mmCIF file of all heavy atoms in Angstrom:
data_model
loop_
_atom_site.group_PDB
_atom_site.id
_atom_site.type_symbol
_atom_site.label_atom_id
_atom_site.label_comp_id
_atom_site.label_asym_id
_atom_site.label_seq_id
_atom_site.Cartn_x
_atom_site.Cartn_y
_atom_site.Cartn_z
ATOM 1 N N SER A 183 17.744 -11.971 34.684
ATOM 2 C CA SER A 183 16.910 -12.800 35.554
ATOM 3 C C SER A 183 17.652 -14.068 35.936
ATOM 4 O O SER A 183 18.514 -14.561 35.202
ATOM 5 C CB SER A 183 15.588 -13.148 34.858
ATOM 6 O OG SER A 183 15.820 -13.863 33.660
ATOM 7 N N ILE A 184 17.291 -14.567 37.109
ATOM 8 C CA ILE A 184 17.760 -15.876 37.554
ATOM 9 C C ILE A 184 16.607 -16.486 38.336
ATOM 10 O O ILE A 184 16.102 -15.889 39.284
ATOM 11 C CB ILE A 184 19.050 -15.778 38.389
ATOM 12 C CG1 ILE A 184 19.590 -17.173 38.714
ATOM 13 C CG2 ILE A 184 18.865 -14.961 39.644
ATOM 14 C CD1 ILE A 184 20.998 -17.160 39.312
ATOM 15 N N GLY A 185 16.142 -17.638 37.891
ATOM 16 C CA GLY A 185 14.936 -18.195 38.482
ATOM 17 C C GLY A 185 13.759 -17.268 38.245
ATOM 18 O O GLY A 185 13.519 -16.812 37.125
ATOM 19 N N TYR A 214 21.246 -22.668 41.681
ATOM 20 C CA TYR A 214 21.330 -21.647 40.633
ATOM 21 C C TYR A 214 21.601 -22.255 39.256
ATOM 22 O O TYR A 214 22.200 -23.319 39.131
ATOM 23 C CB TYR A 214 22.415 -20.623 40.963
ATOM 24 C CG TYR A 214 23.820 -21.191 40.932
ATOM 25 C CD1 TYR A 214 24.554 -21.241 39.743
ATOM 26 C CD2 TYR A 214 24.427 -21.661 42.097
ATOM 27 C CE1 TYR A 214 25.843 -21.756 39.717
ATOM 28 C CE2 TYR A 214 25.710 -22.180 42.076
ATOM 29 C CZ TYR A 214 26.415 -22.226 40.879
ATOM 30 O OH TYR A 214 27.685 -22.740 40.851
ATOM 31 N N GLY A 215 21.148 -21.556 38.240
ATOM 32 C CA GLY A 215 21.501 -21.850 36.856
ATOM 33 C C GLY A 215 22.122 -20.608 36.255
ATOM 34 O O GLY A 215 22.565 -19.709 36.981
ATOM 35 N N PRO A 216 22.161 -20.515 34.936
ATOM 36 C CA PRO A 216 22.734 -19.317 34.312
ATOM 37 C C PRO A 216 21.839 -18.094 34.518
ATOM 38 O O PRO A 216 20.636 -18.223 34.747
ATOM 39 C CB PRO A 216 22.816 -19.699 32.828
ATOM 40 C CG PRO A 216 21.761 -20.743 32.647
ATOM 41 C CD PRO A 216 21.715 -21.508 33.932
ATOM 42 N N VAL A 217 22.445 -16.932 34.447
ATOM 43 C CA VAL A 217 21.692 -15.682 34.432
ATOM 44 C C VAL A 217 21.246 -15.438 32.995
ATOM 45 O O VAL A 217 22.056 -15.494 32.061
ATOM 46 C CB VAL A 217 22.548 -14.504 34.937
ATOM 47 C CG1 VAL A 217 21.824 -13.176 34.701
ATOM 48 C CG2 VAL A 217 22.864 -14.675 36.418
ATOM 49 N N LYS A 218 19.962 -15.178 32.819
ATOM 50 C CA LYS A 218 19.437 -14.892 31.490
ATOM 51 C C LYS A 218 19.420 -13.391 31.275
ATOM 52 O O LYS A 218 18.950 -12.634 32.130
ATOM 53 C CB LYS A 218 18.029 -15.467 31.335
ATOM 54 C CG LYS A 218 17.470 -15.350 29.919
ATOM 55 C CD LYS A 218 16.130 -16.064 29.803
ATOM 56 C CE LYS A 218 15.602 -16.006 28.369
ATOM 57 N NZ LYS A 218 14.313 -16.729 28.218
ATOM 58 N N GLU A 237 22.930 -15.905 27.653
ATOM 59 C CA GLU A 237 23.024 -16.456 28.994
ATOM 60 C C GLU A 237 24.417 -16.216 29.545
ATOM 61 O O GLU A 237 25.410 -16.252 28.804
ATOM 62 C CB GLU A 237 22.703 -17.950 28.992
ATOM 63 C CG GLU A 237 21.228 -18.250 28.766
ATOM 64 C CD GLU A 237 20.889 -19.717 28.993
ATOM 65 O OE1 GLU A 237 21.836 -20.551 29.018
ATOM 66 O OE2 GLU A 237 19.690 -20.029 29.146
ATOM 67 N N ILE A 238 24.462 -15.969 30.861
ATOM 68 C CA ILE A 238 25.733 -15.760 31.558
ATOM 69 C C ILE A 238 25.957 -16.953 32.479
ATOM 70 O O ILE A 238 25.180 -17.184 33.421
ATOM 71 C CB ILE A 238 25.708 -14.463 32.387
ATOM 72 C CG1 ILE A 238 25.353 -13.258 31.496
ATOM 73 C CG2 ILE A 238 27.059 -14.236 33.068
ATOM 74 C CD1 ILE A 238 25.038 -11.998 32.278
ATOM 75 N N ASP A 239 26.990 -17.710 32.201
ATOM 76 C CA ASP A 239 27.333 -18.861 33.036
ATOM 77 C C ASP A 239 28.081 -18.341 34.261
ATOM 78 O O ASP A 239 29.220 -17.865 34.150
ATOM 79 C CB ASP A 239 28.217 -19.830 32.250
ATOM 80 C CG ASP A 239 28.559 -21.094 33.035
ATOM 81 O OD1 ASP A 239 28.130 -21.204 34.205
ATOM 82 O OD2 ASP A 239 29.267 -21.953 32.478
ATOM 83 N N ILE A 240 27.451 -18.411 35.431
ATOM 84 C CA ILE A 240 28.083 -17.869 36.638
ATOM 85 C C ILE A 240 28.864 -18.921 37.423
ATOM 86 O O ILE A 240 29.471 -18.610 38.448
ATOM 87 C CB ILE A 240 27.045 -17.191 37.552
ATOM 88 C CG1 ILE A 240 25.968 -18.189 37.994
ATOM 89 C CG2 ILE A 240 26.421 -16.001 36.847
ATOM 90 C CD1 ILE A 240 24.998 -17.617 39.019
#
Side-chain angles (χ1 to χ4, degrees):
S183 60
I184 186 169
Y214 67 87
V217 171
K218 187 174 183 178
E237 288 189 344
I238 304 168
D239 183 359
I240 60 174

